[in-house]
């Protein structure tokens, strides 16, 4: 190693095991290697490594071997000049990911509770301050529609925040130990948990620990007591008083809430927040009290029926804090970070997986923009795979979510949508459906963060039945196939606008063919199992 030569270390991303096989990777400076070979002890011999992916700096080579025990190996690399370089020897036990086993069998369904279904009788009671736009969905509504989820075949739920808060999206939490009363409160939550357990369905909750609500009692204490507040170190306060006097005047004026919200926006205040949103003061993650608080909340809901957490703005919190949380959590809890860029600092040791934005970007480039061809798409996939290592099987994969435009709106028609969905359901990582996608729910393009947050449509007559039936079929396929969940990904042909690949595990081999020309009529996919 070193000296610009090929690199390998028996680390989580270069030597790991999944489903009884071992992946060995080697990295070299781009354009230097003619042939890379993995050298095993005598009886097993030499195995040529596959050229997996490249970026501007590096090229990655990979070999997949049967078995998952300790390995003795070295590498032999021939450069284009004919020079032979040896790396190694190594002797190591492949890294084994700690993802809870139940995760791999799942297809997630994401619900934004306010936008899904109303189950409580009557209209939801109003709140004093409302950042507009409540649609009145609640947890009883989810219980009412569990049959729909069963019919669809999904077996895990991800709910956007459900704790006490002022807004419909609930990312401004005022009480982390209380299910929002407008959603039905603790009683309905407990019932939902029970119903999910009966159906062997799992549940992950949205943990907003980057910031709290401005109206959280701790922050309110800082606003009131200033420097004397025992919570002043809970937040990132940059000066006192925390807010100018005008702030409170506007806050308590008779103006409509949205007016007040925007008037306040233009003031100066003395604390860090989420994207300069005054409603969301940023927590001080260096504080031990804050860490203890986060841990308590996470444990509290895991003990009360949650199976894991999706952690909001995880990339805005030091990775080392998440590693600390992870160590304290039960092994069975699935932890997914909302990380939008490079996931490498976060997996596999802070989270089991992250929300797979890098995959989403690639999907956009191939399926939506048509800006890259299948060959470039494959290189992107393989590069991401080389970065993620075994965590790629636990990534939270999506075509859309509550922060994006609906994928159907982006591609414009159902055939193209279903081809992309076929890819998602047959690729590595945990697939998810954003509520409504299964019936062809539309949003509006260019609508910002709330573009895709329309209320669910429950009249069957208005559903896109082709999307619904095909989504069901793809989910069944995914759930039944260990190869799709954990199998090796074997590219067969990625050329022009066509991709053919296999997913292989033991005797099971699933072959996927997706033709995706830019004319939607000619888009089609085909999956065969042998
Ligand atoms: C609301 C309105 C917005 C308005 C904003 C400010 O919807 O139109 O601009 O208020 O007034 C939640 C709600 C949002 C709400 C927001 C603020 O869901 O509706 O916005 O709170 O009150 C960045 C972050 C990433 C974050 C996204 C939204 O890095 O962590 O922005 N995602 C999470 C959740 C959101 C949630 C929050 C965080 C806040 O999933 O739903 O918002 O708790 C590029 C950048 C990314 C950036 C992304 C924005 O890709 O690289 O860093 O993500 O754009 O899409």
């Amino acid at each position: 190693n070193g000296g610009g030569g090929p690199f390998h270390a028996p680390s989580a991303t270069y030597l790991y095991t999944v489903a009884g096989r071992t992946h060995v990777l080697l990295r070299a400076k781009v354009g230097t290697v003619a042939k890379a070979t993995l050298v095993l002890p005598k009886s097993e011999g030499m195995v040529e490594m596959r050229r997996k992916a490249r970026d501007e700096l590096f090229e990655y080579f990979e070999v997949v071997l049967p078995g998952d025990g300790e390995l003795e190996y070295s590498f032999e690399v021939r450069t284009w000049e004919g020079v032979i370089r040896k790396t190694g020897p190594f002797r190591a036990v492949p890294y084994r990911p700690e993802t809870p086993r139940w995760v791999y069998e799942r297809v997630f369904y994401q619900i934004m509770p306010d936008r899904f279904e109303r189950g409580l009788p009557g209209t939801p009671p109003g709140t004093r301050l409302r950042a507009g736009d409540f649609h009145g969905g609640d947890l009883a509504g989810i219980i009412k529609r569990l049959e729909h989820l069963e019919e669809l075949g999904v077996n895990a739920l991800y709910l956007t925040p459900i704790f006490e808060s002022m807004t419909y999206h609930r990312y401004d939490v005022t009480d982390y130990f209380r299910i929002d009363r407008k959603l039905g409160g603790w009683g309905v939550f407990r019932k939902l948990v029970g119903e999910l357990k009966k159906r062997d369905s799992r549940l992950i909750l949205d943990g907003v620990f980057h910031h709290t609500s401005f109206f959280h009692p701790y922050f309110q204490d800082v606003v009131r007591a200033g420097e004397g507040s025992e919570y002043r170190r809970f937040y990132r306060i940059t000066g006192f008083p925390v807010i100018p006097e005008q702030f409170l005047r506007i806050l308590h004026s008779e103006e409509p809430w949205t007016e007040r919200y925007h008037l306040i926006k233009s003031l100066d205040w003395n604390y860090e927040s989420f994207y300069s949103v005054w409603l969301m003061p940023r927590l001080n993650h260096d504080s031990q009290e804050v860490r203890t608080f986060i841990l308590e909340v996470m444990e509290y809901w895991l003990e009360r029926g949650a199976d894991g957490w999706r952690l909001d703005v995880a990339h805005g919190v030091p990775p080392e804090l998440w590693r600390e949380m992870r160590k304290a959590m039960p092994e069975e809890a699935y932890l997914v970070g909302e990380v939008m860029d490079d996931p490498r600092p976060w997996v596999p040791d802070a989270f089991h997986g992250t929300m797979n934005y890098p995959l989403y970007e690639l999907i956009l480039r191939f399926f939506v923009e048509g800006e890259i061809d299948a060959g470039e798409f494959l290189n992107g996939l393989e590069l991401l795979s080389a970065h993620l290592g075994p965590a790629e099987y636990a990534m939270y994969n999506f075509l859309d979510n509550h922060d994006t435009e609906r994928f159907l709106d982006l591609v414009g028609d159902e055939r193209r949508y279903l081809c992309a969905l076929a890819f998602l359901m047959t690729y590595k990582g945990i697939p998810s459906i954003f509520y409504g996608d299964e019936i062809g729910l539309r949003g509006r393009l260019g609508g910002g963060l709330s573009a895709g947050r329309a209320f669910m449509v429950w009249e069957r007559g208005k559903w896109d039945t082709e999307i619904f039936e095909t989504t069901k079929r793809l989910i069944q396929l995914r759930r039944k196939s260990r190869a799709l969940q954990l199998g090796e990904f074997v590219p067969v042909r990625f050329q022009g606008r066509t991709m053919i690949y296999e997913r292989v595990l033991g005797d099971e081999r699933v072959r996927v063919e997706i033709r995706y020309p830019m004319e939607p009529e000619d888009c089609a996919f085909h999956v065969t199992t042998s």
Side-chain angles (χ1 to χ4, degrees), residues 403-419:
D403 284 344
T404 69
E405 287 164 315
R406 293 246 172 207
F407 203 79
L408 179 60
D409 291 323
L410 288 176
V411 288
D413 86 293
E414 63 192 14
R415 292 183 77 93
R416 303 180 87 209
Y417 169 76
L418 289 171
C419 280

Side-chain angles (χ1 to χ4, degrees), residues 171 211 261 275 280 310 312 315 338 340 402-403 453:
Y171 280 96
H211 49 266
Y261 181 87
Y275 275 82
M280 299 175 164
R310 176 266 189 192
D312 189 54
H315 51 225
E338 188 208 17
M340 288 195 165
H402 65 295
D403 284 344
R453 301 179 184 175

Side-chain angles (χ1 to χ4, degrees), residues 97-290:
E98 291 161 351
T99 306
R101 291 183 67 88
W102 64 264
V103 171
Y104 298 126
E105 302 155 12
R106 304 289 147 172
V107 176
F108 271 86
Y109 188 80
Q110 184 195 346
I111 295 179
M112 191 167 223
D114 183 63
R115 301 300 162 89
F116 190 60
E117 176 63 313
R118 303 176 191 94
L120 296 170
T123 46
T127 36
R128 188 173 56 90
L129 285 168
R130 309 209 310 190
D133 239 10
F134 274 92
H135 284 49
D138 54 41
L139 298 183
I142 299 178
I143 297 177
K144 188 166 138 193
R145 296 300 180 178
L146 284 174
E147 248 169 62
H148 171 69
L149 303 190
E150 268 181 295
E151 184 187 353
L152 185 59
V154 291
N155 55 357
L157 280 187
Y158 153 36
L159 302 182
T160 58
I162 56 173
F163 308 117
E164 283 287 340
S165 104
M166 299 282 192
T167 61
Y168 78 87
H169 55 69
R170 300 187 167 85
Y171 280 96
D172 48 326
V173 182
T174 54
D175 188 345
Y176 288 82
F177 294 100
R178 238 178 144 133
I179 307 292
D180 198 321
R181 277 160 290 197
K182 296 186 289 308
L183 289 175
W186 162 246
V188 182
F189 176 76
R190 201 172 43 183
K191 186 157 175 234
L192 174 62
V193 164
E195 292 297 326
L196 291 175
K197 290 259 180 295
K198 267 191 231 162
R199 292 167 169 82
D200 185 36
S201 188
R202 303 288 177 134
L203 172 66
I204 67 170
L205 299 178
D206 210 322
V208 188
F209 301 117
H210 169 270
H211 49 266
T212 70
S213 169
F214 174 86
F215 297 102
H216 192 283
Y218 295 169
F219 194 73
Q220 285 299 295
D221 193 76
V222 185
V223 168
R224 265 193 315 270
E227 281 180 272
S229 168
E230 57 173 311
Y231 295 108
R232 57 171 287 197
R233 261 176 284 277
F234 239 74
Y235 295 92
R236 293 184 169 267
I237 308 296
T238 50
F240 293 95
V242 176
I243 53 171
E245 218 178 285
Q246 247 176 315
F247 194 118
L248 286 180
R249 263 209 307 280
I250 299 172
L251 192 59
H252 297 303
S253 73
E254 293 299 308
E255 300 283 333
W257 160 248
T258 35
E259 266 315 293
R260 279 178 280 160
Y261 181 87
H262 288 294
L263 283 171
I264 290 172
K265 228 165 130 177
S266 58
L267 300 176
D268 282 328
W269 62 87
N270 288 323
Y271 55 91
E272 285 183 22
S273 66
F274 169 78
Y275 275 82
S276 306
V277 175
W278 64 264
L279 184 62
M280 299 175 164
R282 186 171 177 211
L283 284 162
N284 173 18
H285 301 101
D286 297 334
S287 143
Q288 195 47 53
E289 275 106 336
V290 166

Side-chain angles (χ1 to χ4, degrees), residues 298-326:
M298 289 178 77
E299 282 175 340
Y300 186 87
W301 294 107
L302 289 175
E303 282 159 14
R304 282 162 184 76
D307 299 293
W309 287 97
R310 176 266 189 192
L311 296 150
D312 189 54
V313 205
H315 51 225
V317 175
E320 146 270 323
L321 178 145
W322 297 124
R323 280 187 215 114
E324 197 179 312
M325 298 300 140
R326 161 84 172 267

